[in-house]
Amino acid sequence: MRLIFLGSPASVIAPLARLHADAAEHGHELVAVVSQPAKPVGRRGELTDPPVAAWAKARGILTLQPVKAGEAGFLAAFRDLAPDVAITAAYGQILTNEFLAIPKRATINVHPSLLPRYRGAIPVPAALLDGLTETGVSILFTVQKLDAGHLIAQEELAIAEGDTTATLTDKGFALGGVMLFPALERLADPDFKGTPQDEAGVTHCKKIKKEDGLLDWTKPGATLVSRFRAFEPWPGSYTFHAGRRIAVTAMRREAASRAATAPGAVQFDKAAAALRVGTGDEPVLITRLKPAGGKEIDAAAFWNGLKDKGAVTFSATENPS
């Protein structure tokens, strides 16, 4: 089959790379890649391609970058490529019915959750926010209703204790790449329509806002660590100390149970090389931080840089009363 891949962020290069390397071996042809347009980056505003487009161009793969996937010029070019299957993975644009009518066999999507759970744009943070120890990857037919198409394949994926949105997203799309060729084999049967999703089990991802990264030390420690993992790399997690914003870049739960301390109260644990911070129940450990306007440092450097170590407190407000 003639395949076209649609995606944008670095995390979905893994399934694209597998298609590029092995499509011919499986009797398929990767004919083009579709990605978002280049955007200004940095102080100079230099136009920079999204990672998928840059990767594809470096390998001489035909790359299309429409401003909107529904524009007439793009649809004409897409139609001329005569795709049998379009494969989407974090492409970042809504696909019209006119687009979906072009691939001869189907448009399919690689989605990093066990659908029907976590339909929407942020299934990986949603799983981490809920404290799950297992999630998965679904390959499904793309329809106009969000993530509602029939399932082609599903695989479970364990969530490691140290996984963040960044690491778990990479793992999910790597697994999706492994799943693609068996999924395409199923599509070779023109009568294969997939398995309907159980509508009774549908859940949707909640939108994440930038301010969600503020750490509320009155919440339970497990909740704070789950939020930290979900919000890494965006929007990140932060707190305030002495009126200064502090980004928290590494946080974990303690292996052993500890007595509760006042929410936000900070002590330094030399053996753990970490700051022990009080929460609504058991303390958490912070090992790396980035003060506003400064470089990322470890917990020891932060502690040693404090002038007054008598009553150090992290706060959810810039100027606590």
Side-chain angles (χ1 to χ4, degrees):
M1 292 186 285
R2 291 172 61 81
L3 310 176
I4 295 180
F5 183 89
L6 296 87
S8 297
S11 56
V12 301
I13 290 176
L16 171 58
R18 185 170 287 269
L19 286 174
H20 181 246
D22 299 335
E25 179 183 336
H26 290 267
H28 307 302
E29 180 185 4
L30 178 63
V31 296
V33 164
V34 180
S35 192
Q36 295 274 36
K39 295 181 179 179
V41 173
R43 293 181 180 179
R44 296 183 178 180
E46 294 182 2
L47 285 177
T48 303
D49 280 325
V52 162
W55 190 94
K57 289 178 181 179
R59 286 153 183 82
I61 304 171
L62 175 64
T63 305
L64 306 178
Q65 295 173 264
V67 174
K68 291 185 178 181
E71 60 189 41
F74 166 69
L75 290 174
F78 187 69
R79 189 177 291 106
D80 287 344
L81 291 170
D84 293 297
V85 178
I87 301 165
T88 67
Y91 171 47
Q93 292 202 37
I94 295 173
L95 302 177
T96 64
N97 280 325
E98 187 176 0
F99 175 99
L100 296 177
I102 293 174
K104 296 176 184 177
R105 180 60 178 95
T107 296
I108 64 175
N109 178 240
V110 183
H111 184 84
S113 85
L114 291 176
L115 291 168
R117 195 169 190 181
Y118 303 133
R119 289 182 181 176
I122 51 169
V124 175
L128 292 171
L129 283 172
D130 285 347
L132 300 189
T133 58
E134 188 173 76
T135 183
V137 176
S138 303
I139 297 181
L140 66 153
F141 288 98
T142 300
V143 295
Q144 274 289 286
K145 187 177 179 181
L146 182 65
D147 298 327
H150 288 192
L151 299 171
I152 300 168
Q154 280 191 326
E155 294 285 346
E156 294 178 347
L157 176 65
I159 300 176
E161 186 175 349
D163 270 331
T164 64
T165 287
T167 61
L168 188 57
T169 299
D170 286 346
K171 290 179 181 180
F173 282 116
L175 175 58
V178 174
M179 296 165 62
L180 272 177
F181 288 116
L184 290 170
E185 287 181 14
R186 294 183 178 185
L187 295 183
D189 177 0
D191 296 322
F192 176 77
K193 293 179 174 59
T195 304
Q197 295 185 39
D198 179 6
E199 292 296 319
V202 171
T203 63
H204 291 89
C205 305
K206 296 180 181 179
K207 185 177 180 180
I208 294 174
K209 303 182 295 294
K210 190 174 183 179
E211 55 267 29
D212 288 337
L214 177 61
L215 294 162
D216 178 356
W217 299 107
T218 65
K219 293 184 180 295
T223 298
L224 288 169
V225 171
S226 292
R227 291 175 70 86
F228 167 79
R229 294 166 66 196
F231 299 154
E232 180 60 37
W234 191 90
S237 298
Y238 66 98
T239 188
F240 292 97
H241 172 256
R244 190 182 187 188
R245 178 173 167 141
I246 308 288
V248 175
T249 55
M251 176 196 287
R252 69 175 188 271
R253 298 180 69 179
E254 285 202 271
S257 179
R258 294 272 183 172
T261 57
V266 183
Q267 301 169 331
F268 181 66
D269 185 323
K270 187 174 181 180
L275 301 176
R276 179 174 289 108
V277 186
T279 72
D281 51 19
E282 295 184 352
V284 297
L285 297 178
I286 294 175
T287 53
R288 296 194 68 80
L289 315 89
K290 186 180 182 301
K295 297 180 179 180
E296 185 180 19
I297 55 177
D298 61 27
F302 176 83
W303 187 258
N304 291 335
L306 296 177
K307 294 180 180 180
D308 182 7
K309 298 180 176 64
V312 181
T313 303
F314 285 159
S315 172
T317 59
E318 188 171 358
N319 296 300
S321 56

